[in-house]
C-alpha cells in the first residue's frame, strides 16, 4: 500500500487541518456549555472554512498521488478520503446544531448532559490525536485499529441519544 506518511508530510497539511479541527471542535463544546452566542457564531464560521479546507486537502491528496504514480500501483484507502470529508461535514453540522440550540433560546444543558457530552468530546479528541500519531509514524495497522475503535465511540454516542430520549420522555429536558 501507498505510505500514508508521504501524504501526511506533504506540507504538514494534515497536521494543520486536524489542529484547526480539534480547536474548533473543543471551542464549539465550550461555547455550548457556556451558552456563548458570539463564540458559537464565530466557531460556526470557522467550521465552514474547515469544511472547505477538507475539500482542498482531498484535492491535494489526489494531486500527490498523481505526482507519485510513476507506473507503479498506488493504493490509498478510500476510508482516509471518506473520513476527511465526513469529519468536516459532521463538524459543520455540529456547529449548526449547537448554534441553533442557543439561538433558539432553548433551556441550557443539564449537568448530566454536559457530563455525558464532555466524555464523548474527550473520546473523539483522543481518537483524532491517535489517528494523527499513527499517520506520522506510518503505522498502517494502527490506523486500521483506530478506525475500528471508532465503533466504540459511535456506541457511546448512541447511548447518549437513548439517554436523551429517556430524559425527554420523563420531562427532564425538552430538546435533543
Amino acid at each position: 500500500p501507498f505510505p500514508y506518511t508521504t501524504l501526511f508530510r506533504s506540507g504538514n497539511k494534515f497536521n494543520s487541518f486536524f489542529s484547526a479541527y480539534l480547536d474548533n471542535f473543543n471551542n464549539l463544546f465550550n461555547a455550548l456549555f457556556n451558552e456563548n452566542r458570539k463564540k458559537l457564531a464565530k466557531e460556526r464560521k470557522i467550521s465552514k472554512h474547515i469544511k472547505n479546507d477538507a475539500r482542498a486537502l482531498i484535492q491535494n491528496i489526489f494531486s500527490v498521488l498523481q505526482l507519485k504514480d510513476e507506473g507503479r500501483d498506488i493504493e490509498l484507502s478510500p476510508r482516509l478520503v471518506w473520513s476527511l470529508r465526513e469529519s468536516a461535514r459532521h463538524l459543520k453540522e455540529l456547529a449548526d446544531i449547537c448554534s441553533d440550540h442557543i439561538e433558539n433560546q432553548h433551556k441550557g444543558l443539564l449537568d448530566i448532559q454536559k457530563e455525558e457530552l464532555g466524555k464523548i468530546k474527550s473520546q473523539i479528541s483522543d481518537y483524532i490525536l491517535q489517528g494523527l500519531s499513527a499517520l506520522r509514524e506510518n503505522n498502517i495497522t494502527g490506523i486500521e485499529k483506530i478506525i475500528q475503535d471508532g465503533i466504540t465511540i459511535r456506541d457511546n454516542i448512541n447511548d447518549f441519544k437513548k439517554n436523551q430520549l429517556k430524559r425527554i420522555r420523563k420531562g427532564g429536558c425538552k430538546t435533543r
Side-chain angles (χ1 to χ4, degrees):
F2 187 73
Y4 288 97
T5 50
T6 303
L7 294 175
F8 182 76
R9 290 184 183 148
S10 65
N12 250 345
K13 290 183 170 132
F14 278 98
N15 200 22
S16 297
F17 173 81
F18 281 108
S19 177
Y21 183 98
L22 280 172
D23 286 345
N24 185 241
F25 181 77
N26 289 317
N27 290 339
L28 280 169
F29 275 97
N30 293 337
L32 175 65
F33 293 165
N34 295 318
E35 299 181 44
N36 187 334
R37 283 183 177 84
K38 288 182 181 180
K39 184 72 171 166
L40 276 170
K42 177 183 174 190
E43 295 303 323
R44 191 177 196 175
K45 287 178 185 176
I46 292 171
S47 70
K48 185 176 181 180
H49 291 292
I50 289 172
K51 186 176 176 183
N52 292 334
D53 289 348
R55 288 184 189 133
L57 189 54
I58 290 167
Q59 289 174 346
N60 186 55
I61 289 169
F62 289 114
S63 295
V64 169
L65 287 175
Q66 287 174 350
L67 291 174
K68 294 287 180 182
D69 186 16
E70 297 165 354
R72 53 188 177 156
D73 280 341
I74 293 178
E75 207 175 296
L76 175 65
S77 171
R79 283 179 155 175
L80 178 66
V81 174
W82 180 85
S83 295
L84 280 171
R85 185 181 66 237
E86 292 303 301
S87 296
R89 184 178 67 82
H90 289 303
L91 183 66
K92 176 68 173 103
E93 288 175 5
L94 177 66
D96 292 342
I97 290 167
C98 292
S99 294
D100 290 346
H101 180 81
I102 298 301
E103 287 299 320
N104 291 333
Q105 299 179 354
H106 290 294
K107 184 177 165 187
L109 297 176
L110 302 173
D111 288 339
I112 188 73
Q113 290 171 309
K114 289 179 183 179
E115 182 182 325
E116 289 175 351
L117 285 172
K119 287 178 185 176
I120 291 170
K121 177 185 90 145
S122 294
Q123 289 174 341
I124 292 172
S125 293
D126 291 346
Y127 180 77
I128 292 169
L129 290 172
Q130 289 172 1
L132 280 172
S133 177
L135 281 171
R136 281 188 200 110
E137 296 165 7
N138 199 23
N139 183 353
I140 305 302
T141 307
I143 291 170
E144 293 298 322
K145 182 189 176 313
I146 290 166
I147 290 170
Q148 293 303 317
D149 289 345
I151 293 168
T152 303
I153 294 172
R154 272 187 257 148
D155 290 343
N156 292 339
I157 291 170
N158 289 332
D159 289 345
F160 173 76
K161 289 177 182 179
K162 289 175 188 174
N163 290 339
Q164 278 294 93
L165 290 174
K166 287 177 188 174
R167 281 191 280 271
I168 291 169
R169 286 186 189 121
K170 290 180 181 176
C173 66
K174 304 248 186 232
T175 63
R176 292 174 66 183

